[in-house]
Amino acid sequence: NAGVTQTPKFQVLKTGQSMTLQCAQDMNHEYMSWYRQDPGMGLRLIHYSVGAGITDQGEVPNGYNVSRSTTEDFPLRLLSAAPSQTSVYFCASSYSLENTEAFFGQGTRLTVV
Amino acid sequence: AQKITQTQPGMFVQEKEAVTLDCTYDTSDPSYGLFWYKQPSSGEMIFLIYQGSYDQQNATEGRYSLNFQKARKSANLVISASQLGDSAMYFCAMRPRASKIIFGSGTRLSIRP
């Protein structure tokens, strides 16, 4: 059981480049989400999804796009990378919309130069 | 507005002592879940304990217990008999029913030998 898998683990981008962070879960979870964690800070919600075909914005959505075409996958797209997007990105999923804990991926450390 | 507040940026505790990490929350939803996560220096997010808003008893998981005071909107984590391996960042999180999970800014706990 792989759980939540994020790829890549590390990435360096140049300003203006675009890329997609991948997130996949094999637990048939309805809820998936993306967070960013800046040094010494908590997790801020970027986007989330309550099921295939449904996405919504979190507190810091600007500069990011998501889609949820399948239950398993929830990719995060950086449209035009900026140094302010240097961060650690976590993908998380949970079984249902009710009060169940979220399972996290290992994180992607992104540096934009 | 939904909000999680952790007022202790950092704490130092002597090994084998008990420690309480504070968390207060704000939500208008009558049904919600409260969570605590541990993030060691390796970076992964580890789920520790869950408390539902309608649970009559405080949650416990081994050395972890959650001191839930609903009227005060507080959900403090208590770690009994602290160990060196408990040194980490600790995050409090809340999930109103059928909605997104939001996190506090975290508390860095350091255990002294």
Side-chain angles (χ1 to χ4, degrees):
Chain A
N1 191 347
V4 180
T5 302
Q6 285 184 239
T7 56
K9 287 186 171 52
F10 301 94
Q11 183 71 48
V12 179
L13 287 179
K14 292 182 179 179
T15 297
Q17 285 185 317
S18 62
M19 80 159 295
T20 299
L21 306 185
Q22 301 292 344
C23 176
Q25 52 89 11
D26 60 359
M27 298 174 281
N28 201 31
H29 284 176
E30 294 180 26
Y31 176 92
M32 297 186 73
S33 54
W34 278 101
Y35 295 87
R36 61 177 288 173
Q37 184 179 27
D38 299 311
M41 296 181 66
L43 282 75
R44 292 186 292 170
L45 184 64
I46 304 171
H47 287 284
Y48 66 104
S49 168
V50 298
I54 306 169
T55 63
D56 205 349
Q57 296 181 348
E59 60 180 310
V60 287
N62 292 340
Y64 308 95
N65 275 355
V66 292
S67 60
R68 184 94 180 269
S69 56
T70 67
T71 300
E72 295 78 18
D73 299 299
F74 191 45
L76 177 72
R77 298 182 186 84
L78 279 70
L79 308 173
S80 176
S84 60
Q85 294 178 304
T86 294
S87 190
V88 178
Y89 292 83
F90 286 98
C91 177
S93 72
S94 65
Y95 178 67
S96 74
L97 303 179
E98 298 303 322
N99 295 325
T100 56
E101 73 271 23
F103 295 83
F104 281 80
Q106 292 297 307
T108 296
R109 185 173 296 275
L110 175 68
T111 301
V112 182
V113 297
Chain B
Q2 296 160 357
K3 190 177 181 181
I4 290 277
T5 302
Q6 295 180 253
T7 58
Q8 305 155 310
M11 290 185 68
F12 288 88
V13 173
Q14 202 69 30
E15 189 180 10
K16 300 181 184 177
E17 288 184 350
V19 57
T20 297
L21 305 181
D22 295 339
C23 173
T24 58
Y25 61 91
D26 188 19
T27 181
S28 57
D29 197 313
S31 177
Y32 50 89
L34 296 157
F35 310 86
W36 278 91
Y37 285 83
K38 174 183 179 180
Q39 187 179 43
S41 57
S42 52
E44 72 267 31
M45 295 290 288
I46 302 169
F47 167 72
L48 295 178
I49 196 167
Y50 162 80
Q51 178 84 43
S53 59
Y54 291 118
D55 292 343
Q56 295 297 314
Q57 293 187 324
N58 287 345
T60 60
E61 289 287 348
R63 293 186 301 112
Y64 303 108
S65 61
L66 200 152
N67 184 2
F68 180 47
Q69 298 186 43
K70 194 169 182 178
R72 298 180 62 182
K73 293 190 174 180
S74 74
N76 298 341
L77 177 70
V78 180
I79 306 174
S80 64
S82 57
Q83 303 171 357
L84 295 178
D86 294 333
S87 293
M89 281 289 288
Y90 288 81
F91 293 99
C92 180
M94 175 179 67
R95 181 179 205 172
R97 191 177 70 87
S99 184
K100 57 199 176 194
I101 303 173
I102 58 173
F103 285 80
S105 56
T107 295
R108 182 171 297 281
L109 177 63
S110 300
I111 308 297
R112 293 187 176 123

